[in-house]
Every structure is written in C-alpha cells, then in structure tokens.
Amino acid sequence: MKRRETKRDVKKIEAAWAAFQATPPTVAGAQAHLDAFAAYRKVYDSASKAAQQIVTPF
C-alpha cells in the first residue's frame, strides 16, 4: 500500500474515532453511541494493515 493511501486511511479512522468519542455513552444516547462505534469498526476493519498499526486508540 502506498504511503498516501495509508495516510488517507489513518485520517478516516481518526475521524470515525472522533465521531464515536463525541457521542455520549448515556442511556439517552446509547443507540447513537453504538452506531458510531459500529461505523468506526467498519472503517477500521476496511483500512490497510499499516494504517491499523499506526492508529491505536486503546
């Protein structure tokens, strides 16, 4: 994978993680929180292995 594509994947992963962090993990916002995490996992899983190794939010 080219470096530019890796950078693009990293930016997508970071944006999805930020959207997940922006949703409140409360009872009222539980579904939105779960949906945001599902979207993050979809982006993370579809990214390149190099991008996954760069981004480690946990």
Side-chain angles (χ1 to χ4, degrees), residues 1-19 39-40 42-57:
M1 171 149 284
K2 295 181 180 178
R3 182 178 174 165
R4 184 176 320 165
E5 292 170 349
T6 301
K7 282 184 171 184
R8 192 174 305 138
D9 284 348
V10 168
K11 287 183 180 187
K12 286 180 185 178
I13 292 170
E14 289 174 345
W17 182 253
Y40 161 75
K42 184 177 179 183
V43 170
Y44 183 84
D45 292 340
S46 68
S48 67
K49 195 67 165 173
Q52 289 176 357
Q53 290 175 347
I54 292 170
V55 181
T56 53

Side-chain angles (χ1 to χ4, degrees), residues 12 14 18 20-21 23 26 31 33-34 36 40 42 46 51 58:
K12 286 180 185 178
E14 289 174 345
F20 169 67
Q21 290 294 322
T23 58
T26 60
Q31 189 59 48
H33 192 67
L34 292 173
Y40 161 75
K42 184 177 179 183
S46 68
F58 303 109

